[in-house]
Amino acid sequence: MINKYNYSPGPSYVKENVRLARAYEVTNSDIDIDFVKYYKDTCDLFNKIIDSDNETYIISGEAILGLEAACATLTEDGDRVLVLDNGLYGNGFKDFVSIYGGQPVLFTQDYHNEISSEALEEYLKEDSNFKYATLVHCDTPTGMINDIHKLCPILKKYGILTVVDSVSGMVGERVSVKESKIDILLGGSQKAISAQPGITIVSVSEDAKKSFKNRKTLVRSFYANLRIWENYLEEQYFPYTLPASDIVSFRVALENIVEEGIENVLKRHEKIANAVRKSIKDFGLELFSENDNSNTVTAIKMPEKIKATDISDYILKKHNVLIATSLAEYKDSILRIGHMGENARIEKTLYILNLLEEAFNSFGFKSKKSLTESFIENIY
Ligand SMILES: *Cc1c(COP(=O)(O)O)cnc(C)c1O
């Protein structure tokens, strides 16, 4: 049975009006001139949410395509790229850089803390000869937020272009491209935007476009080459047939956000996340992050003798509800609650906390206080 409630940190809950939008008649994006305008308007709507004047492309493919395309289009053989690394996704950028011939240089920091802007400044004073730098806004497997509005302007000051993965950050965490001066911002449809998976959003600055134009060699990909999008608006022609239904439902998800107001959406995430963190600690568990700072995902450190998969298996078997553990070396030791997008609602959060409480108790966990009672005390 694939019809389950899902509280993982993405994909998140998709509202009915977004799901139903997929049932509209499917247009042909190659010959329907109205669709070009609809597409551009959707990009502009997205730009309002991320406070940006840069050019935005909505591309068919999961967010990983956006990450790869940014690296594919910027990187030439031998380019040095600074990879800011305090989490699994942060570290993972080195692979995209290498695949396209670049030379990744890791700036690895403590995985339990956000990247310090002072440490970055110190580092750049010694070595700043990089074409671009990669940074993850919310490193989802460990629930770590980095301060993009502080870090990106520092990199920019040293003439380094910035590529930011805000796939699980944006809409749950404030993003201002104008303030942060991000050159390539990457997002996905299925996290806090609360649309179905399948779309990546890539927003590109004029400086990044200049860098694309100055390449001496061709980009070694067609599908992951952002330059194929450069002239779609002038030519009223897309590089290939777009998934019209995905874009229509994505547009409805954006309209839901704009209707509620992005400031209200951000406040809702913050309020839920604060109450979740407080109740987890009151219950007697610890968080992985020492900063306690993600408003979209809470990563819980598992107590001794209980594995994260014990809890997720229990909740799945007994209640048909999905909750995520973590990845790689954290698979057994971290359990994660996704409270992003449409899952960042009081009634939904209370529901999953109730199941967590039952699961932990069934494994003999000695709690200090009721998880749900603490959440209710802290949310109102
Ligand atoms: C979800 C996510 C992506 C997309 O990756 P998937 O593994 O396909 O879900 C990229 N970056 C971050 C930080 C994410 O949370």
Side-chain angles (χ1 to χ4, degrees):
M1 176 138 109
I2 59 164
N3 198 13
K4 298 181 180 75
Y5 282 108
N6 174 18
Y7 291 90
S8 66
S12 55
Y13 183 77
V14 182
K15 251 172 101 163
E16 193 178 32
N17 68 344
V18 177
R19 279 182 272 137
L20 290 179
R22 289 240 173 144
Y24 297 159
E25 202 73 60
V26 180
T27 190
N28 181 334
S29 65
D30 286 343
I31 53 182
D32 183 355
I33 298 298
D34 290 337
F35 188 79
V36 181
K37 184 174 180 316
Y38 180 88
Y39 177 91
K40 175 68 167 69
D41 288 348
T42 309
C43 295
D44 290 346
L45 196 63
F46 179 77
N47 270 0
K48 269 194 204 151
I49 293 171
I50 58 165
D51 188 29
S52 175
D53 289 331
N54 291 345
E55 178 145 30
T56 289
Y57 308 123
I58 298 168
I59 303 177
S60 168
E62 204 279 332
I64 292 292
L65 174 66
L67 273 52
E68 177 163 356
C71 296
T73 318
L74 280 172
T75 315
E76 288 189 271
D77 280 348
D79 283 341
R80 293 181 83 231
V81 178
L82 186 64
V83 174
L84 278 68
D85 165 30
N86 66 332
L88 297 176
Y89 278 98
N91 183 277
F93 263 112
K94 71 179 190 310
D95 298 329
F96 294 126
V97 172
S98 305
I99 287 167
Y100 290 96
Q103 202 187 318
V105 177
L106 286 166
F107 176 72
T108 299
Q109 301 286 296
D110 175 13
Y111 275 30
H112 292 267
N113 278 294
E114 66 182 284
I115 290 174
S116 136
S117 53
E118 289 82 17
L120 179 64
E121 282 258 30
E122 282 306 307
Y123 182 89
L124 292 173
K125 277 182 200 155
E126 299 297 315
D127 185 4
S128 62
N129 179 26
F130 300 103
K131 185 176 199 177
Y132 68 96
T134 61
L135 171 64
V136 176
H137 188 192
C138 174
D139 217 308
T140 333
T142 46
M144 181 61 60
I145 296 292
N146 286 310
D147 189 342
I148 54 173
H149 301 97
K150 235 184 189 171
L151 297 169
C152 294
I154 295 172
L155 291 155
K156 200 73 182 163
K157 195 176 74 189
Y158 282 88
I160 303 167
L161 296 170
T162 54
V163 171
V164 173
D165 168 353
S166 183
V167 176
S168 69
M170 59 171 59
V171 178
E173 302 281 345
R174 189 174 78 89
V175 175
S176 166
V177 171
K178 284 183 195 159
E179 185 187 323
S180 59
K181 305 187 177 75
I182 291 169
D183 289 295
I184 303 187
L185 177 71
L186 306 162
S189 50
Q190 81 274 28
K191 304 278 168 93
I193 293 173
S194 273
Q196 294 94 336
I199 279 183
T200 183
I201 317 105
V202 181
S203 197
V204 183
S205 73
E206 286 307 311
D207 285 350
K209 284 189 186 174
K210 247 182 252 159
S211 175
F212 296 168
K213 287 208 177 78
N214 289 338
R215 289 181 64 105
K216 295 185 183 70
T217 54
L218 291 175
V219 175
R220 284 208 198 98
S221 173
F222 181 83
Y223 218 65
N225 177 0
L226 294 172
R227 298 205 66 187
I228 59 176
W229 293 87
E230 268 168 14
N231 302 316
Y232 86 86
L233 195 58
E234 294 77 42
E235 292 169 8
Q236 304 269 296
Y237 197 73
F238 293 109
Y240 42 78
T241 302
L242 300 196
S245 305
D246 290 4
I247 290 168
V248 170
S249 71
F250 178 72
R251 163 78 164 258
V252 175
L254 295 185
E255 285 169 354
N256 286 342
I257 293 161
V258 170
E259 192 185 329
E260 184 178 348
I262 181 67
E263 292 305 325
N264 296 328
V265 174
L266 293 172
K267 269 187 229 141
R268 170 161 60 78
H269 279 85
E270 190 181 0
K271 198 171 133 185
I272 295 270
N274 280 335
V276 168
R277 290 192 285 259
K278 180 79 172 57
S279 63
I280 294 288
K281 288 190 209 162
D282 284 351
F283 188 56
L285 291 167
E286 285 174 40
L287 304 180
F288 181 84
S289 152
E290 280 167 23
N291 297 104
D292 281 11
N293 60 3
S294 171
N295 288 333
T296 54
V297 53
T298 296
I300 303 168
K301 224 165 48 184
M302 292 305 293
E304 266 180 53
K305 298 202 182 94
I306 309 178
K307 290 200 303 240
T309 44
D310 292 338
I311 301 293
S312 60
D313 287 350
Y314 175 96
I315 291 178
L316 178 61
K317 287 199 185 102
K318 188 124 188 260
H319 298 284
N320 197 38
V321 167
L322 290 171
I323 180 159
T325 59
S326 188
L327 310 174
E329 67 262 41
Y330 300 117
K331 189 151 179 33
D332 286 333
S333 59
I334 292 181
L335 184 74
R336 296 179 300 158
I337 310 172
H339 35 77
M340 54 177 70
E342 288 299 328
N343 271 341
R345 301 276 177 195
I346 294 174
E347 68 282 6
K348 290 213 166 69
T349 311
L350 198 50
Y351 179 71
I352 190 62
L353 292 181
N354 190 37
L355 300 189
L356 277 177
E357 180 154 23
E358 180 192 314
F360 272 98
N361 289 340
S362 86
F363 281 93
F365 179 70
K366 299 269 175 295
S367 60
K368 291 191 183 136
K369 185 172 178 175
S370 158
L371 188 53
T372 46
E373 273 172 33
S374 167
F375 179 75
I376 290 166
E377 276 168 30
N378 287 293
I379 197 71
Y380 293 111

